[in-house]
Amino acid sequence: MQLLSSVLLLALLKPHPLRGAVVRPVTKHITLDIVNGHVAPDGFSRSAVLANGTFPGPVITANKGDTLVVKVNNKLTDNTMRLSTSVDFDGVFIDTPGIYDEGSPFVTTCPFGPGTSYTYTLPLGTQTGTFWYHSQLSMQYADGFRAPLVIYDPADPLAHLYDVDNENTILTVADWWHNSTIPLLQSYINTQIIPVADAGLFNGAGRFNGGPKTKYSVVSVTRNTRYRFRLINMSARSDFMVSIDNHTMTIIEADGVATTPHTVNILDMLAGQRYSVVVTANQPIGNYWINTVLGGGNPARNLNLNVTLGRGVLHYAGAPNAEPTTPMTLGPANPIPLVEGDLRPLVPEVPPAPDFNLTFVTSMTANASSPSGFNTQWNINNVSYISPVIPTLVKILDGANSAADFNKTENTFVFPANKVIQVTFPPSDEDELHPFHLHGNNFWLIKSNASEPNFVNPIRRDVAGAGSGGTIVRFTTDKPGPWFFHCHIFWHFNVGLASVIAGGLEETREQVHPDDAWDALCPAYNALPEGEKR
């Protein structure tokens, strides 16, 4: 009891707006205007797709138990990029039966065109942690439509480890292209050469070779204070090696799931992954480089790219307002890297035994006569995913009962409700890890690439890399409906590296009753001129 009282007293002393008072769930109304506008995060000005006119878009915050009501107004006009849109709230899953508001085009919904709006209702339930939202339509989020989303826990069991956790401690990394993704995607389809980013960005700022010396993003700290930094990789392709000169990072969250504190000084983040790390400002007052080194693609294919220039500055109060005088490096001289398989959940949990086992073999082929019509396509078990005209959920609500009711190219796997599914990605000779992301749920990461399997207390998360060492994930079908399970390298995703996990089709029909606004999406989208469907 004395220990509990001490923890509660510490929580009340922390300068976080949620602590020290009972926080009752509320409904938060948010409006996002999706517009075209010019931005120059690395000094090169280009037209982009922007939420409320900014890149990254506005941070959405909520508390545990809140309901988010997000009205999205499509005001896009620049036809060099996608004019329709659809929003995915990455990692947020809905536990409320009968509510199914998830923006996966042609799986759970249809996109909506310019001059129209759609409102997403997201009861957050018991979820807490670090998430983000982005366009799920084609490559649109690489044109700019991406931003953080954080669900705070007023009773965070790890609150005693940090002093500050607010919007200023949300940190993002992202890759950035100077050209619209429409011609870039077409070039990839034609040539098999995946586009290499022009720059890496930290908190929406960076530089490219030969470009102007734009101002790096500055993260201000006070000496002897502990900060919970929420790191989000919002890339469309790239992984980032993250470190802070002379500082360690204690990981306490992975993809919205609390972990046992685990200290490193450098960590690799795949596209779509999120971590919370505690950093203590315990060094002499000064300025220190935040290193975010971009990986993914040969810089020789894009001479604009300098992988070390997407970085930031950790600025101590009392230090000069200047860049660090130390050299820019790739990270610590004596690295203590994150080994993902070493992470453990804060609340241990033995994964249930699988009821069904799948093996996903990923491969790339060049085949101009393929059903997709792509010269370049990625496959799962020799099937390249192609979006159906009628969304998967519509087919289920209309009576689809088995995998045979879906086209082969929909790559849809059907299971009963409340079963445990294990997916094994065998070892491969590919150079690049595929960050596979599950919608609607997270998974137990039984085997993390090169690590040994852990059947006792593996972490749960929603993005994990499949590659050379082999990966095993396990999840349940306790949320009825169809859920995307795809590579978060969106160039790969858009040429077929995707699947759909459909659980409990009869339960879906019993529980999911979309409203009139959802019913109207597909007829309205199908009636759009071809140029506005893009």
Side-chain angles (χ1 to χ4, degrees):
M1 182 62 71
Q2 184 177 2
L3 176 60
L4 178 60
S5 299
S6 300
V7 171
L8 287 173
L9 178 60
L10 283 170
L12 289 171
L13 294 174
K14 307 226 180 261
H16 189 286
L18 299 180
R19 300 190 184 119
V22 174
V23 180
R24 293 180 173 82
V26 300
T27 297
K28 293 191 68 172
H29 291 267
I30 295 159
T31 298
L32 299 177
D33 291 331
I34 312 306
V35 300
N36 295 117
H38 276 77
V39 292
D42 63 351
F44 180 91
S45 180
R46 60 155 290 185
S47 179
V49 178
L50 307 172
N52 289 2
T54 66
F55 173 81
V59 175
I60 294 177
T61 61
N63 296 339
K64 181 179 180 179
D66 285 353
T67 295
L68 293 174
V69 179
V70 184
K71 183 179 182 182
V72 181
N73 301 314
N74 184 345
K75 298 183 177 182
L76 297 173
T77 57
D78 187 342
N79 63 10
T80 66
M81 292 171 285
R82 295 273 167 176
L83 291 176
S84 292
T85 197
S86 188
V87 185
D88 175 37
F89 300 87
D90 226 37
V92 176
F93 45 83
I94 299 168
D95 287 323
T96 305
I99 295 182
Y100 201 100
D101 228 341
E102 205 257 352
S104 295
F106 312 110
V107 174
T108 62
T109 188
C110 281
F112 52 103
T116 63
S117 303
Y118 186 73
T119 299
Y120 299 87
T121 300
L122 307 170
L124 301 177
T126 60
Q127 269 197 289
T128 62
T130 308
F131 308 93
W132 60 303
Y133 66 94
H134 60 82
S135 170
Q136 185 77 17
L137 181 62
S138 186
M139 290 296 307
Q140 191 178 56
Y141 90 71
D143 286 316
F145 184 3
R146 35 185 163 162
L149 188 158
V150 173
I151 308 171
Y152 292 104
D153 184 356
D156 182 6
L158 294 171
H160 60 286
L161 296 178
Y162 56 88
D163 304 305
V164 180
D165 175 23
N166 56 35
E167 288 194 27
N168 295 323
T169 62
I170 300 171
L171 311 180
T172 65
V173 292
D175 42 23
W176 188 250
W177 282 266
H178 291 170
N179 297 315
S180 161
T181 58
I182 289 178
L184 289 175
L185 180 59
Q186 190 59 52
S187 173
Y188 177 43
I189 290 169
N190 292 342
T191 66
Q192 302 179 57
I193 299 173
I194 192 168
V196 174
D198 290 285
L201 306 177
F202 172 76
N203 275 4
R207 297 176 183 173
F208 66 96
N209 282 330
K213 289 193 173 181
T214 55
K215 182 177 173 58
Y216 286 121
S217 178
V218 175
V219 180
S220 296
V221 297
T222 300
R223 194 167 186 271
N224 295 325
T225 303
R226 302 168 301 169
Y227 294 83
R228 177 176 182 162
F229 290 128
R230 295 175 181 267
L231 305 173
I232 306 171
N233 186 349
M234 303 193 302
S235 292
R237 177 187 184 183
S238 308
D239 69 296
F240 282 84
M241 295 294 294
V242 179
S243 62
I244 305 173
D245 283 357
N246 295 6
H247 293 75
T248 59
M249 301 176 288
T250 300
I251 299 166
I252 60 171
E253 176 214 347
D255 295 355
V257 179
T259 68
T260 299
H262 182 78
T263 299
V264 299
N265 63 12
I266 188 168
L267 61 87
D268 188 13
M269 297 185 68
L270 303 179
Q273 288 186 327
R274 297 91 62 201
Y275 290 101
S276 279
V277 299
V278 176
V279 174
T280 301
N282 56 7
Q283 295 300 302
I285 289 175
N287 295 302
Y288 298 85
W289 287 119
I290 302 172
N291 310 298
T292 58
V293 181
L294 182 150
N298 183 350
R301 294 193 183 277
N302 187 341
L303 298 182
N304 285 335
L305 178 63
N306 184 323
V307 299
T308 69
L309 294 183
R311 60 179 52 241
V313 177
L314 188 74
H315 169 77
Y316 278 65
N321 292 319
E323 292 181 8
T325 57
T326 52
M328 295 182 181
T329 71
L330 299 180
N334 298 301
I336 307 170
L338 168 64
V339 177
E340 186 182 41
D342 290 344
L343 289 177
R344 296 291 179 265
L346 183 64
V347 179
E349 183 179 23
V350 178
D355 298 300
F356 297 92
N357 288 277
L358 295 175
T359 298
F360 276 11
V361 177
T362 62
S363 62
M364 189 184 78
T365 58
N367 182 4
S369 62
S370 70
S372 67
F374 295 168
N375 290 334
T376 300
Q377 66 179 44
W378 276 93
N379 315 284
I380 294 173
N381 299 342
N382 295 317
V383 176
S384 182
Y385 177 82
I386 302 173
S387 297
V389 175
I390 300 173
T392 312
L393 180 56
V394 174
K395 291 182 179 181
I396 293 171
L397 296 179
D398 285 345
N401 281 315
S402 70
D405 292 323
F406 303 96
N407 295 330
K408 180 180 179 181
T409 53
E410 292 179 63
N411 226 11
T412 297
F413 298 84
V414 176
F415 300 101
N418 300 309
K419 297 298 182 182
V420 180
I421 315 302
Q422 179 164 293
V423 180
T424 299
F425 296 86
S428 73
D429 57 2
E430 294 177 28
D431 295 332
E432 195 164 27
L433 281 174
H434 295 290
F436 264 80
H437 169 53
L438 179 63
H439 287 223
N441 208 338
N442 52 26
F443 45 69
W444 290 278
L445 184 55
I446 303 295
K447 183 180 187 303
S448 169
N449 199 32
S451 298
E452 291 298 312
N454 178 356
F455 300 100
V456 178
N457 59 348
I459 60 166
R460 295 189 74 168
R461 64 183 317 166
D462 58 63
V463 183
S468 59
T471 298
I472 302 172
V473 301
R474 194 178 292 178
F475 53 86
T476 63
T477 56
D478 58 344
K479 297 179 180 66
W483 304 102
F484 250 148
F485 186 36
H486 64 81
C487 179
H488 224 300
I489 296 174
F490 257 50
W491 305 100
H492 294 172
F493 167 54
N494 275 279
V495 293
L497 198 53
S499 65
V500 175
I501 306 296
L505 304 192
E506 189 58 42
E507 288 79 0
T508 303
R509 286 186 283 273
E510 292 173 358
Q511 297 181 23
V512 177
H513 304 287
D515 60 17
D516 291 343
W518 183 90
D519 283 336
L521 284 172
C522 286
Y525 178 78
N526 292 332
L528 287 173
E530 285 302 315
E532 294 185 10
K533 290 182 179 179
R534 292 198 318 174

